[in-house]
Amino acid sequence: MFDKMIGFIGAGNMGSAMIGGILDASLANTSQIIASARSQETLDAVRTRFSIEMTRSNETVAERSDILILAVKPEGLSDVIPQIVPHLKNSCVIVSVAAGKTIASIEDMFGKSIRLVRAMPNTPALVGEAMSALCPNSLISERDLAQVQQVFNCFGKSEVVPEHMMDTVIGVSGSSPAYVYLLIEAMADAAVAEGMPRAQAYKFAAQSVYGAAKMVLKTKEHPGALKDAVCSPGGTTIEAVAALERGRFRDTVITAQRACTQKSREMSRRK
């Protein structure tokens, strides 16, 4: 159990997913979490769901927090940061999940030395299966970073990466759920074409993708070795794999993911 107060500025989908993960993991109790939101609807919904303290005041959240998570959209930081700068504890660890906002740009917005972690979770946080990248600035201690990683591990897995890898993270995890959804949809379409009911097809496809991913993580086998284990000589699976290779499946995935990474780099330079 943490002995820290965790604050959230922003309690939308990502903020709520993080709050739920923290409480489900018993890392903190409801009295140790405070969050702000702009709309009364969100305030009421999050308060009812989690029984935590909710407020419209970003300043109140900043004053109370030992770890402060900025769970707002990138364009919202320029409004939020000036509000909270005078109210922060000197020891506060700030975590930004604003996509594309570099450590240097966030430090500039604060205009003073801060302890900052730049984080990039992905949308599977909503079901407790996020993959998050964490990048600390020079003032974050090993203990600070370990505590932030504890928070992010409550709703998935996390890894510490150097900041120059953040655009790569966008390609391989931040945006990649969309690629997987396309795969699941295509698999289900093929099953429907062969006569399977749509709902059942989605379940078969999604569970198969989930199970295959879990095999990679649990066995730590090379994905190629796991693929080979399914491909019997002259069998059905190798026939499908051969068809995918003719369609340049792997090349298409690599090309798409690198395009995503490059777009992220371009967007970061413009911000």
Side-chain angles (χ1 to χ4, degrees), residues 6-270:
I6 306 172
F8 287 82
I9 294 181
N13 287 337
M14 185 57 70
S16 293
M18 296 172 75
I19 292 166
I22 291 166
L23 293 173
D24 287 346
S26 299
L27 184 66
N29 59 41
T30 54
S31 66
Q32 292 173 279
I33 301 176
I34 182 172
S36 63
R38 289 184 299 179
S39 75
Q40 190 62 46
E41 181 181 6
T42 301
L43 286 167
D44 293 341
V46 176
R47 185 186 294 115
T48 299
R49 181 179 174 188
F50 297 119
S51 299
I52 63 169
E53 183 177 350
M54 294 293 299
T55 176
R56 284 184 182 273
S57 171
N58 295 333
E59 295 87 343
T60 298
V61 176
E63 288 169 355
R64 300 267 301 278
S65 298
D66 299 303
I67 296 175
L68 177 62
I69 297 169
L70 304 179
V72 297
K73 293 181 178 179
E75 59 271 20
L77 288 183
S78 58
D79 293 326
V80 166
I81 289 174
Q83 295 172 3
I84 66 175
V85 167
H87 303 277
L88 290 168
K89 298 178 182 179
N90 290 332
S91 60
C92 183
V93 173
I94 299 162
V95 181
S96 169
V97 299
K101 291 295 185 182
T102 64
I103 287 173
S105 69
I106 296 169
E107 289 173 334
D108 285 346
M109 288 188 219
F110 276 93
K112 66 175 187 176
S113 297
I114 55 170
R115 296 155 78 180
L116 174 68
V117 176
R118 179 183 173 190
M120 175 52 62
N122 61 5
T123 56
L126 298 170
V127 292
E129 293 291 350
M131 186 65 228
S132 302
L134 305 176
C135 181
N137 77 350
S138 60
L139 297 181
I140 290 290
S141 68
E142 289 186 11
R143 184 170 183 271
D144 293 334
L145 187 56
Q147 290 180 332
V148 171
Q149 195 157 20
Q150 275 186 281
V151 170
F152 278 79
N153 288 347
C154 288
F155 48 90
K157 294 178 170 61
S158 66
E159 291 281 340
V160 179
V161 303
E163 190 172 24
H164 72 268
M165 294 300 298
M166 276 301 210
D167 295 311
T168 302
V169 167
I170 296 286
V172 74
S173 69
S175 297
S176 65
Y179 326 154
V180 179
Y181 301 146
L182 279 174
L183 173 63
I184 290 170
E185 185 180 31
M187 291 169 64
D189 283 347
V192 170
E194 296 291 341
M196 183 177 282
R198 172 68 63 179
Q200 194 173 46
Y202 280 135
K203 185 172 183 178
F204 269 91
Q207 180 61 33
S208 295
V209 170
Y210 176 77
K214 197 166 185 177
M215 285 281 287
V216 173
L217 293 172
K218 291 289 186 181
T219 67
K220 302 191 186 305
E221 291 277 350
H222 189 286
L226 293 171
K227 179 263 295 178
D228 289 349
V230 187
C231 292
S232 302
T236 57
T237 307
I238 193 63
E239 191 71 19
V241 168
L244 288 170
E245 293 288 8
R246 288 193 297 274
R248 300 176 65 86
F249 178 74
R250 286 187 292 181
D251 180 66
T252 300
V253 172
I254 292 167
T255 300
Q257 186 169 309
R258 296 191 72 184
C260 176
T261 299
Q262 181 58 30
K263 181 68 172 181
S264 179
R265 288 195 187 102
E266 293 169 1
M267 292 174 67
S268 295
R269 291 190 198 107
R270 291 200 297 266

